Amino acid sequence: MTTTATVELVFIPAPGMSHLVSTVEMAKQLVGRDHRLSITVLIMKLPFDKSKASSSTQSQLLTAAEDRLEFVYLPLDEAAAAELQSKSPKTFMLESIKMNKQNVRDHVRTMVSTGSTMIAGFVVDMFCTPMMDVAAEFGVPSYVFFTPNATVLGVMFHMETLSPEEYNDLAEMKDSDTELELPGFVNPVPVKVLPAPFLDKEFGSRFMSIAKRLRETKGIMVNTFEELESSAVRFLAENDKVPPVYPVGPLIHLVNNKNEEEEIEIMKWLDNQPLSSVVFLCFGTMGSFEGDQLKEIAQALERSGHRFLWSVRRTPQMGKIEPPGEYEDLNQVLPEGFIERTMKIGKVIGWAPQVAILSHKAVGGFVSHCGWNSTLESLWCGVPMATWPMYAEQQMNAFELVRELGLAVEIKLDYKKDVGSDNTKVMLVTAEEIEIGIRKLMEGGNECGEEIKRRVKEMSKKSKVVVVEGGSSYNSIGLLIEDFMNNMHTHSLNG
């Protein structure tokens, strides 16, 4: 029996697939748990969001939507699109969000104008804290959906308490071997693995102002689970200067479009490979490499002799913020004869249906950029990782996986290649370093590799327990729903 929803939430994810996917999964969890909830997701358009990965994933997300879950695309006119394209990579995200404030205001005004919609709260992405002003105009509380992990959230709050002098000192040490004692970590943390925005004097102050706004929210949902990040979750729970934190993960988009021609071909190839024999290399929606680095990876794969599935993407023009594209001819960027020589053991692809691949029994290891969504997907599927972080908070994720949790082997922890950066300054990871990492990851009899595989299988089991009735994340979502309902009770009392 269908019951009319009585409580509405407005979700505002940041533009970009990695933010949208987990936000929509969070919304689905909520409407699936309580028939009184209804959610409108306001999606900001990006001028360049036309990639294969984006269109495929978005169509899956939207067709798999639940009842009481509505998606609204906010308008983006040509003048606004052109203005966004001219912004610096560092300010692009924040500028696009500010530009959409009026669109959000207009849509919410339409929602409440009928008099039948009662809004219990805005749920905004960490980058969308300017939208908290709009929530306040309508007299409703704001919550944050935090797409990185609890460790990053804890460090963000810690950094925000530093004096300007301390902060500048830290920024000066960004390339040194200095290590810090940080809340939520058991081991000392090298400054060079802190997220790049934290150590950028120009952008860092904006980032810290986000942390300040997070303190003003009524609650923060984090895409993680207590059993994975127990130290960081404990620090946040015991900190009386931060709002309630709700670990609600892992939130994973498990639906795949099995009719995609590329996916069918990839799955057929994997079906013909032995159990746990394939190393999968994929670097996220924004990850790509130049020709020299591609040649080093190819050399490492060939030398290692392991079966491989490698997602190769074309780097965007320097200074442009757009997803990587597809190569028309891979032979032009890979070593001469590489594809022919490795045809029996390897497959080079463009776009990758990542969750479908990680779920396949033939995949035994994942060379990853350590984006948090990818990390959770790999753990859910029980696939150990080799770390090759690139941008945002990925270096800290890599450090946490290798040094804190023992769930990954290291290729690099401090590799940096920021989106839209000058790629000529990027370090080269040698074929030898990559080969060592792949061997550690894939070869049996290696004590380090065997222990990591055992831990990952254990964490995979835990990740599935926490989301079902009685699990820690399931209970956390229950507490969150209670809080939304209390907002409506208070609202009606204040009438």
Side-chain angles (χ1 to χ4, degrees), residues 103-182:
N103 287 332
V104 170
R105 196 176 279 121
D106 292 345
H107 190 81
V108 175
R109 192 174 290 124
T110 305
M111 285 171 68
V112 299
S113 63
T114 61
S116 60
T117 300
M118 296 191 296
I119 298 178
F122 275 33
V123 177
V124 302
D125 186 278
M126 60 177 282
F127 286 112
C128 297
T129 51
M131 298 299 178
M132 290 166 64
D133 302 335
V134 183
E137 288 169 25
F138 288 95
V140 298
S142 290
Y143 297 78
V144 162
F145 178 64
F146 194 78
T147 50
N149 59 31
T151 305
V152 172
L153 180 61
V155 172
M156 205 166 158
F157 279 131
H158 170 73
M159 298 284 280
E160 194 258 326
T161 64
L162 300 180
S163 68
E165 293 74 29
E166 289 171 314
Y167 192 84
N168 285 336
D169 288 348
L170 206 53
E172 294 294 337
M173 295 188 282
K174 67 179 178 181
D175 297 317
S176 73
D177 293 322
T178 307
E179 294 184 329
L180 306 170
E181 299 289 335
L182 288 176

Coordinates of all heavy atoms in Angstrom, one line a residue, residues 103-182:
N103 N 18.9 29.8 -9.1 CA 18.2 28.7 -9.7 C 17.6 27.8 -8.5 O 16.4 27.4 -8.6 CB 19.1 27.8 -10.5 CG 19.4 28.4 -11.8 OD1 18.7 29.2 -12.4 ND2 20.6 28.1 -12.4
V104 N 18.4 27.6 -7.5 CA 17.9 26.8 -6.4 C 16.7 27.5 -5.7 O 15.7 26.9 -5.3 CB 19.0 26.4 -5.4 CG1 18.5 25.8 -4.1 CG2 20.0 25.5 -6.0
R105 N 17.0 28.8 -5.4 CA 16.0 29.6 -4.7 C 14.6 29.6 -5.5 O 13.6 29.4 -4.9 CB 16.5 31.1 -4.7 CG 15.8 32.0 -3.7 CD 16.5 33.3 -3.7 NE 17.7 33.3 -2.9 CZ 18.9 33.6 -3.3 NH1 19.2 33.9 -4.6 NH2 20.0 33.6 -2.5
D106 N 14.7 29.7 -6.8 CA 13.5 29.7 -7.7 C 12.8 28.4 -7.6 O 11.6 28.4 -7.5 CB 13.9 30.0 -9.1 CG 14.4 31.5 -9.3 OD1 14.1 32.3 -8.4 OD2 15.0 31.8 -10.4
H107 N 13.5 27.3 -7.7 CA 12.9 26.0 -7.7 C 12.2 25.7 -6.3 O 11.1 25.2 -6.3 CB 13.9 24.9 -8.0 CG 13.2 23.6 -8.3 ND1 12.5 23.3 -9.5 CD2 12.9 22.6 -7.5 CE1 11.9 22.1 -9.4 NE2 12.1 21.7 -8.2
V108 N 12.9 26.0 -5.3 CA 12.3 25.7 -3.9 C 11.1 26.6 -3.7 O 10.1 26.2 -3.1 CB 13.4 25.9 -2.8 CG1 12.8 25.7 -1.4 CG2 14.5 24.9 -3.0
R109 N 11.2 27.8 -4.2 CA 10.0 28.7 -4.0 C 8.8 28.1 -4.7 O 7.7 28.1 -4.2 CB 10.3 30.1 -4.6 CG 9.3 31.2 -4.2 CD 9.7 32.6 -4.7 NE 10.8 33.1 -3.9 CZ 12.0 33.5 -4.5 NH1 12.2 33.4 -5.8 NH2 12.9 34.0 -3.7
T110 N 9.0 27.5 -5.9 CA 7.9 26.9 -6.6 C 7.4 25.7 -5.8 O 6.2 25.4 -5.8 CB 8.4 26.4 -8.0 OG1 8.9 27.5 -8.7 CG2 7.3 25.8 -8.8
M111 N 8.3 24.9 -5.2 CA 7.9 23.7 -4.5 C 7.0 24.1 -3.3 O 6.0 23.4 -3.0 CB 9.2 23.0 -3.9 CG 10.0 22.2 -4.9 SD 11.6 21.7 -4.2 CE 11.0 20.5 -3.0
V112 N 7.3 25.2 -2.6 CA 6.6 25.5 -1.4 C 5.3 26.4 -1.7 O 4.5 26.5 -0.8 CB 7.5 26.2 -0.3 CG1 8.6 25.3 0.1 CG2 8.0 27.5 -0.8
S113 N 5.2 26.9 -2.9 CA 4.1 27.8 -3.2 C 2.8 27.1 -3.1 O 1.8 27.8 -2.9 CB 4.4 28.4 -4.6 OG 4.3 27.4 -5.6
T114 N 2.7 25.8 -3.3 CA 1.4 25.1 -3.3 C 0.9 25.0 -1.8 O -0.3 24.9 -1.6 CB 1.5 23.7 -3.8 OG1 2.5 23.0 -3.0 CG2 2.0 23.7 -5.3
G115 N 1.8 25.2 -0.9 CA 1.3 25.1 0.5 C 1.3 23.6 1.1 O 1.1 23.4 2.2
S116 N 1.4 22.6 0.1 CA 1.3 21.2 0.6 C 2.7 20.6 0.9 O 2.8 19.5 1.4 CB 0.6 20.4 -0.5 OG 1.3 20.5 -1.7
T117 N 3.8 21.3 0.4 CA 5.1 20.7 0.6 C 5.8 21.3 1.9 O 5.9 22.5 2.1 CB 6.1 21.1 -0.6 OG1 5.5 20.5 -1.8 CG2 7.5 20.5 -0.4
M118 N 6.2 20.3 2.8 CA 6.9 20.7 4.0 C 8.3 20.3 3.9 O 8.6 19.0 3.8 CB 6.2 20.1 5.2 CG 4.8 20.6 5.5 SD 4.2 20.0 7.1 CE 4.2 18.2 6.9
I119 N 9.3 21.2 3.9 CA 10.7 20.8 3.7 C 11.3 20.6 5.1 O 11.3 21.5 5.9 CB 11.4 21.9 2.9 CG1 10.8 21.9 1.5 CG2 12.9 21.6 2.8 CD1 11.4 23.0 0.6
A120 N 11.9 19.4 5.3 CA 12.6 19.1 6.6 C 14.0 19.5 6.6 O 14.6 19.6 7.7 CB 12.5 17.6 6.9
G121 N 14.6 19.8 5.4 CA 16.0 20.2 5.4 C 16.6 20.2 4.0 O 16.0 19.5 3.1
F122 N 17.6 21.0 3.9 CA 18.5 20.9 2.7 C 19.6 19.9 3.0 O 20.2 20.0 4.1 CB 19.1 22.2 2.3 CG 18.3 23.2 1.5 CD1 16.9 23.2 1.6 CD2 18.9 24.1 0.7 CE1 16.1 24.0 0.9 CE2 18.1 25.0 -0.1 CZ 16.7 24.9 0.0
V123 N 20.0 19.0 2.1 CA 21.2 18.2 2.2 C 22.1 18.6 1.1 O 21.9 18.3 -0.1 CB 20.8 16.7 2.1 CG1 22.1 15.8 2.2 CG2 19.8 16.3 3.2
V124 N 23.2 19.3 1.5 CA 24.1 19.9 0.5 C 25.5 19.2 0.5 O 25.9 18.7 1.6 CB 24.3 21.4 0.8 CG1 23.0 22.1 0.7 CG2 25.1 21.7 2.1
D125 N 26.1 19.1 -0.6 CA 27.4 18.6 -0.7 C 28.4 19.6 0.0 O 28.1 20.7 0.2 CB 27.8 18.6 -2.2 CG 29.2 17.9 -2.5 OD1 30.2 18.6 -2.3 OD2 29.2 16.8 -2.9
M126 N 29.5 19.0 0.4 CA 30.5 19.9 1.1 C 30.9 21.1 0.3 O 31.2 22.2 0.9 CB 31.8 19.1 1.5 CG 32.5 18.5 0.2 SD 34.0 17.7 0.6 CE 35.1 19.0 0.9
F127 N 30.9 21.0 -1.0 CA 31.2 22.2 -1.8 C 30.1 23.2 -2.0 O 30.2 24.3 -2.5 CB 31.7 21.8 -3.2 CG 33.1 21.2 -3.2 CD1 33.3 19.8 -3.5 CD2 34.2 22.0 -2.9 CE1 34.6 19.3 -3.4 CE2 35.5 21.4 -2.8 CZ 35.7 20.1 -3.1
C128 N 28.9 22.7 -1.6 CA 27.7 23.5 -1.8 C 27.2 24.2 -0.6 O 26.0 24.6 -0.4 CB 26.5 22.6 -2.3 SG 26.9 21.8 -3.9
T129 N 28.1 24.5 0.4 CA 27.7 25.2 1.6 C 27.1 26.6 1.3 O 26.3 27.1 2.1 CB 28.9 25.3 2.6 OG1 30.0 25.8 1.9 CG2 29.3 24.0 3.2
P130 N 27.4 27.3 0.2 CA 26.7 28.6 -0.1 C 25.2 28.4 -0.1 O 24.4 29.3 0.1 CB 27.3 29.0 -1.4 CG 28.7 28.4 -1.5 CD 28.5 27.1 -0.8
M131 N 24.7 27.2 -0.5 CA 23.3 26.9 -0.5 C 22.6 26.9 0.9 O 21.4 26.9 1.0 CB 23.0 25.6 -1.2 CG 23.5 25.5 -2.7 SD 22.7 26.7 -3.7 CE 23.6 26.4 -5.3
M132 N 23.5 26.8 1.9 CA 22.9 26.9 3.3 C 22.2 28.3 3.5 O 21.2 28.4 4.2 CB 24.0 26.7 4.3 CG 24.6 25.3 4.4 SD 26.1 25.2 5.3 CE 25.6 25.7 6.9
D133 N 22.7 29.3 2.8 CA 22.0 30.6 2.9 C 20.6 30.6 2.3 O 19.7 31.2 2.9 CB 22.8 31.7 2.1 CG 24.3 31.8 2.5 OD1 24.5 31.5 3.7 OD2 25.1 32.2 1.7
V134 N 20.4 29.8 1.3 CA 19.1 29.7 0.7 C 18.2 28.9 1.6 O 17.0 29.3 1.8 CB 19.2 28.9 -0.7 CG1 17.8 28.9 -1.4 CG2 20.2 29.7 -1.6
A135 N 18.7 27.8 2.2 CA 17.9 27.0 3.2 C 17.5 28.0 4.4 O 16.3 27.9 4.8 CB 18.8 25.9 3.8
A136 N 18.4 28.8 4.8 CA 18.0 29.7 5.9 C 16.9 30.7 5.5 O 16.0 31.0 6.3 CB 19.3 30.5 6.4
E137 N 16.9 31.1 4.3 CA 15.9 32.0 3.8 C 14.5 31.4 3.9 O 13.5 32.0 4.1 CB 16.1 32.4 2.3 CG 17.3 33.3 2.1 CD 17.7 33.5 0.6 OE1 16.8 33.2 -0.2 OE2 18.9 33.8 0.4
F138 N 14.4 30.0 3.7 CA 13.2 29.3 3.8 C 12.9 28.8 5.2 O 11.9 28.1 5.4 CB 13.2 28.2 2.8 CG 13.0 28.6 1.3 CD1 14.1 28.8 0.5 CD2 11.8 28.9 0.8 CE1 14.0 29.2 -0.8 CE2 11.6 29.4 -0.5 CZ 12.8 29.5 -1.3
G139 N 13.8 29.1 6.1 CA 13.6 28.7 7.5 C 13.8 27.2 7.8 O 13.2 26.7 8.7
V140 N 14.6 26.5 7.0 CA 14.9 25.1 7.2 C 16.3 24.8 7.5 O 17.2 25.6 7.0 CB 14.4 24.3 6.0 CG1 12.9 24.4 5.7 CG2 15.2 24.6 4.7
P141 N 16.6 23.8 8.3 CA 18.0 23.4 8.6 C 18.8 22.8 7.4 O 18.2 22.3 6.5 CB 17.9 22.4 9.7 CG 16.5 21.8 9.5 CD 15.7 22.8 8.9
S142 N 20.1 22.9 7.5 CA 21.0 22.3 6.5 C 21.7 21.1 7.1 O 22.2 21.2 8.2 CB 22.0 23.3 6.0 OG 21.4 24.3 5.2
Y143 N 21.9 20.1 6.3 CA 22.7 19.0 6.6 C 23.8 18.9 5.4 O 23.6 19.5 4.4 CB 21.9 17.7 6.6 CG 20.9 17.6 7.7 CD1 19.7 18.3 7.5 CD2 21.1 16.9 8.8 CE1 18.7 18.2 8.5 CE2 20.1 16.8 9.8 CZ 18.9 17.5 9.7 OH 18.0 17.4 10.6
V144 N 24.9 18.2 5.7 CA 25.9 18.0 4.7 C 26.0 16.5 4.3 O 26.0 15.7 5.2 CB 27.2 18.6 5.1 CG1 28.4 18.1 4.2 CG2 27.2 20.1 4.9
F145 N 26.1 16.2 3.0 CA 26.5 14.9 2.6 C 28.0 15.0 2.2 O 28.3 15.7 1.2 CB 25.6 14.4 1.5 CG 26.1 13.0 1.0 CD1 26.0 11.9 1.9 CD2 26.6 12.8 -0.2 CE1 26.5 10.7 1.5 CE2 27.1 11.5 -0.6 CZ 27.0 10.5 0.3
F146 N 28.8 14.4 3.0 CA 30.3 14.5 2.8 C 30.8 13.3 2.0 O 30.8 12.2 2.5 CB 30.9 14.6 4.2 CG 32.4 15.1 4.2 CD1 32.7 16.4 4.1 CD2 33.4 14.2 4.3 CE1 34.0 16.9 4.1 CE2 34.7 14.6 4.3 CZ 35.0 15.9 4.2
T147 N 31.2 13.6 0.7 CA 31.5 12.5 -0.2 C 32.9 11.9 0.1 O 33.1 10.7 -0.2 CB 31.5 12.9 -1.7 OG1 32.2 14.1 -1.8 CG2 30.0 13.1 -2.1
P148 N 33.9 12.6 0.6 CA 35.1 11.9 1.0 C 34.9 11.1 2.3 O 33.7 10.9 2.7 CB 36.1 13.0 1.3 CG 35.5 14.2 0.6 CD 34.0 14.0 0.7
N149 N 36.0 10.7 3.0 CA 35.8 9.9 4.2 C 35.9 10.6 5.5 O 36.1 11.8 5.6 CB 36.8 8.7 4.1 CG 38.2 9.2 4.1 OD1 38.6 10.2 4.7 ND2 39.1 8.4 3.5
A150 N 35.7 9.9 6.6 CA 35.7 10.5 8.0 C 37.1 11.0 8.3 O 37.2 12.0 9.0 CB 35.2 9.4 9.0
T151 N 38.1 10.4 7.9 CA 39.5 10.9 8.2 C 39.7 12.2 7.6 O 40.2 13.1 8.3 CB 40.5 9.9 7.6 OG1 40.2 8.6 8.1 CG2 41.9 10.2 8.0
V152 N 39.3 12.4 6.4 CA 39.4 13.7 5.7 C 38.6 14.8 6.5 O 39.1 15.9 6.7 CB 39.0 13.7 4.2 CG1 39.0 15.1 3.6 CG2 40.0 12.8 3.4
L153 N 37.4 14.4 6.9 CA 36.5 15.4 7.6 C 37.2 15.8 8.9 O 37.2 17.0 9.3 CB 35.2 14.7 7.9 CG 34.2 15.5 8.7 CD1 33.8 16.8 7.9 CD2 32.9 14.7 8.9
G154 N 37.8 14.8 9.6 CA 38.4 15.1 10.9 C 39.6 16.0 10.7 O 39.8 17.0 11.5
V155 N 40.4 15.8 9.7 CA 41.6 16.6 9.4 C 41.2 18.0 9.0 O 41.8 19.0 9.4 CB 42.5 16.0 8.3 CG1 43.6 16.9 7.9 CG2 43.1 14.7 8.9
M156 N 40.1 18.1 8.2 CA 39.5 19.4 7.8 C 39.1 20.2 9.0 O 39.5 21.4 9.1 CB 38.3 19.1 6.9 CG 38.0 20.2 5.9 SD 36.9 19.6 4.7 CE 36.2 21.1 4.2
F157 N 38.4 19.6 10.0 CA 38.1 20.4 11.2 C 39.3 20.8 12.0 O 39.4 21.9 12.5 CB 37.1 19.5 12.0 CG 35.7 19.5 11.6 CD1 35.0 18.4 11.5 CD2 35.0 20.7 11.3 CE1 33.6 18.4 11.0 CE2 33.7 20.8 10.9 CZ 33.0 19.6 10.8
H158 N 40.3 19.9 12.0 CA 41.5 20.2 12.7 C 42.3 21.4 12.1 O 42.7 22.3 12.8 CB 42.4 19.0 12.8 CG 43.8 19.3 13.3 ND1 44.1 19.5 14.6 CD2 45.0 19.4 12.6 CE1 45.4 19.7 14.7 NE2 46.0 19.7 13.5
M159 N 42.4 21.4 10.8 CA 43.1 22.4 10.1 C 42.4 23.8 10.3 O 43.1 24.8 10.3 CB 43.1 22.1 8.6 CG 43.9 20.8 8.2 SD 45.7 21.0 8.3 CE 46.0 21.8 6.7
E160 N 41.1 23.7 10.4 CA 40.4 25.0 10.5 C 40.6 25.7 11.8 O 40.4 26.9 12.0 CB 38.9 24.7 10.3 CG 38.0 25.9 10.1 CD 37.2 26.2 11.4 OE1 36.9 25.3 12.2 OE2 37.0 27.4 11.6
T161 N 41.1 24.9 12.8 CA 41.4 25.5 14.1 C 42.8 26.1 14.2 O 43.2 26.8 15.2 CB 41.3 24.4 15.3 OG1 42.4 23.4 15.0 CG2 40.0 23.7 15.3
L162 N 43.7 25.9 13.2 CA 45.0 26.5 13.2 C 45.0 28.0 13.0 O 44.1 28.5 12.3 CB 45.9 25.8 12.1 CG 46.0 24.3 12.1 CD1 46.9 23.9 10.9 CD2 46.7 23.8 13.4
S163 N 46.0 28.6 13.6 CA 46.1 30.1 13.4 C 46.7 30.3 12.0 O 47.3 29.4 11.4 CB 47.1 30.6 14.4 OG 48.4 30.2 14.1
P164 N 46.5 31.5 11.4 CA 47.1 31.8 10.1 C 48.6 31.5 10.0 O 49.1 31.0 9.0 CB 46.8 33.3 9.9 CG 45.6 33.6 10.7 CD 45.7 32.7 11.9
E165 N 49.3 31.8 11.1 CA 50.7 31.6 11.1 C 51.0 30.0 11.0 O 51.9 29.6 10.2 CB 51.4 32.1 12.4 CG 51.4 33.6 12.5 CD 50.0 34.2 12.9 OE1 49.2 33.4 13.5 OE2 49.7 35.3 12.5
E166 N 50.3 29.3 11.8 CA 50.5 27.8 11.8 C 50.2 27.2 10.4 O 50.8 26.4 9.9 CB 49.6 27.1 12.8 CG 50.0 27.3 14.2 CD 49.0 26.8 15.2 OE1 47.8 27.1 15.1 OE2 49.4 26.2 16.2
Y167 N 49.1 27.8 9.8 CA 48.6 27.3 8.5 C 49.7 27.6 7.4 O 50.0 26.8 6.6 CB 47.3 28.0 8.2 CG 46.6 27.3 7.0 CD1 45.8 26.2 7.1 CD2 46.8 27.8 5.7 CE1 45.2 25.6 6.1 CE2 46.2 27.2 4.6 CZ 45.4 26.1 4.8 OH 44.8 25.5 3.7
N168 N 50.2 28.8 7.5 CA 51.3 29.2 6.5 C 52.5 28.4 6.7 O 53.2 28.0 5.7 CB 51.6 30.7 6.6 CG 50.5 31.6 6.0 OD1 49.8 31.1 5.2 ND2 50.4 32.8 6.5
D169 N 52.9 28.1 7.9 CA 54.1 27.2 8.2 C 53.9 25.8 7.5 O 54.8 25.3 6.9 CB 54.3 27.0 9.7 CG 54.8 28.3 10.3 OD1 55.2 29.2 9.6 OD2 54.8 28.3 11.6
L170 N 52.7 25.3 7.6 CA 52.3 24.0 7.1 C 52.4 24.0 5.6 O 53.0 23.1 4.9 CB 50.9 23.7 7.5 CG 50.5 22.2 7.6 CD1 51.5 21.4 8.5 CD2 49.1 22.0 8.1
A171 N 51.9 25.1 4.9 CA 51.9 25.3 3.5 C 53.4 25.3 3.0 O 53.7 24.8 1.9 CB 51.2 26.5 3.1
E172 N 54.3 25.9 3.8 CA 55.7 26.0 3.4 C 56.4 24.6 3.4 O 57.3 24.3 2.7 CB 56.5 26.9 4.4 CG 56.1 28.3 4.4 CD 56.4 29.0 3.1 OE1 57.4 28.5 2.4 OE2 55.8 30.1 2.7
M173 N 55.8 23.7 4.2 CA 56.4 22.3 4.3 C 55.8 21.3 3.4 O 56.1 20.1 3.5 CB 56.2 21.8 5.8 CG 56.9 22.6 6.8 SD 56.8 21.8 8.5 CE 55.1 22.2 9.0
K174 N 55.0 21.7 2.4 CA 54.2 20.8 1.6 C 55.1 19.8 0.8 O 54.6 18.7 0.5 CB 53.2 21.5 0.7 CG 53.9 22.3 -0.4 CD 52.8 23.0 -1.2 CE 53.4 23.8 -2.3 NZ 52.3 24.5 -3.1
D175 N 56.3 20.1 0.5 CA 57.1 19.2 -0.3 C 58.2 18.5 0.6 O 59.1 17.8 0.1 CB 57.8 19.9 -1.5 CG 56.7 20.4 -2.4 OD1 55.8 19.6 -2.7 OD2 56.8 21.6 -2.9
S176 N 58.2 18.7 1.9 CA 59.2 18.2 2.8 C 58.8 16.8 3.3 O 57.7 16.3 3.0 CB 59.4 19.1 4.0 OG 58.3 19.0 4.8
D177 N 59.7 16.2 4.1 CA 59.4 14.9 4.6 C 58.8 15.0 6.1 O 58.8 14.0 6.8 CB 60.7 14.0 4.7 CG 61.2 13.7 3.3 OD1 60.3 13.4 2.4 OD2 62.4 13.7 3.0
T178 N 58.4 16.2 6.4 CA 57.9 16.5 7.8 C 56.6 15.6 8.0 O 55.8 15.4 7.1 CB 57.5 17.9 7.9 OG1 58.6 18.7 7.6 CG2 57.0 18.3 9.3
E179 N 56.5 15.1 9.2 CA 55.3 14.3 9.6 C 54.6 15.0 10.7 O 55.2 15.6 11.5 CB 55.7 12.9 10.0 CG 56.3 12.1 8.9 CD 56.7 10.6 9.2 OE1 57.0 10.4 10.4 OE2 56.6 9.8 8.4
L180 N 53.3 14.8 10.7 CA 52.4 15.4 11.7 C 51.6 14.4 12.5 O 51.2 13.3 11.9 CB 51.4 16.4 11.1 CG 51.9 17.4 10.1 CD1 50.8 18.1 9.4 CD2 52.7 18.5 10.9
E181 N 51.3 14.7 13.8 CA 50.4 13.9 14.5 C 49.0 14.5 14.2 O 48.8 15.7 14.5 CB 50.6 14.0 16.0 CG 52.0 13.5 16.4 CD 52.1 11.9 16.3 OE1 51.1 11.3 16.4 OE2 53.2 11.4 16.2
L182 N 48.1 13.7 13.7 CA 46.8 14.3 13.3 C 45.6 13.5 13.9 O 45.8 12.2 14.0 CB 46.6 14.3 11.8 CG 47.4 15.3 11.0 CD1 47.2 15.1 9.5 CD2 47.1 16.7 11.4

